């Protein structure tokens, strides 16, 4: 009987040892695995809000996407300043556009005023880049005509 008890005790001790060993393995595996809730996931980023390029209280373009590291608001501010300066320098300058590597450049007197990119297009309304460029050129031509009219009064 003593032999049978000895075998049962050995079996139970082996089983406990196996359980402890298995538990240790599970614990070690969990330490190596990254915790799902340890680092909060970044919220999805929404696109920046569009910005309107206003020149003499007229909307000339709507910028919707970042370009060269500048968000639409920064691009619009730069475009406003640049257009105002070019209108003063070239009051009778021709407003035109030309293709660029990023989209299209709007020019005044042959000088770069600002750039429209495919990201600036209102795709929900079915607008194309060419339409957006033409709209901006038309609006700038209207501004230039008003500026020339004002200069005639002086």
């Amino acid at each position: 009987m003593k032999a049978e008890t000895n075998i049962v005790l050995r079996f139970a001790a082996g089983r406990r040892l196996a359980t402890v060993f298995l538990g240790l393995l599970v614990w070690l595996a969990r330490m190596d695995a990254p915790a799902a809730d340890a680092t909060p996931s970044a919220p999805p980023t929404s696109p920046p809000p569009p910005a309107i390029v206003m020149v003499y209280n007229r909307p000339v373009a709507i910028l919707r996407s970042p370009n060269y590291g500048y968000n639409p608001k920064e691009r619009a501010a730069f475009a406003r300043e640049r257009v105002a300066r070019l209108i003063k320098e070239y009051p009778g300058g021709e407003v035109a556009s030309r293709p660029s590597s990023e989209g299209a450049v709007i020019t005044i007197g042959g000088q770069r005023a600002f750039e429209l990119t495919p990201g600036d297009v209102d795709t929900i309304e079915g607008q194309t880049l060419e339409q957006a460029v033409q709209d901006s050129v038309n609006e700038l031509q209207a501004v230039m005509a008003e500026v020339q009219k004002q200069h005639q009064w002086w």
Side-chain angles (χ1 to χ4, degrees), residues 44-103:
T45 58
S46 60
I52 300 173
V53 179
M54 297 290 284
V55 178
Y56 294 109
N57 294 322
R58 269 187 105 107
V60 172
I62 299 175
L63 306 179
R64 293 179 172 86
S65 69
N67 193 20
Y68 294 117
Y70 295 99
N71 66 39
K73 185 177 179 181
E74 294 166 329
R75 290 177 58 209
F78 176 75
R80 274 190 298 275
E81 293 170 11
R82 180 98 171 137
V83 167
R85 187 172 57 84
L86 289 174
I87 288 174
K88 287 179 185 173
E89 288 179 20
Y90 305 97
E94 178 187 7
V95 178
S97 66
R98 66 174 186 258
S100 73
S101 61
E102 297 292 318

Side-chain angles (χ1 to χ4, degrees), residues 4 9 21 29 31 36 45 50 53 57-58 67 81 91 95-96 107 113 120 127 138 141 151:
E4 288 179 7
L9 287 177
F21 183 72
M31 286 189 64
T45 58
V53 179
N57 294 322
R58 269 187 105 107
N67 193 20
E81 293 170 11
V95 178
T107 61
D120 295 324
Q127 185 182 44
N138 292 344
Q141 286 172 340
H151 284 300

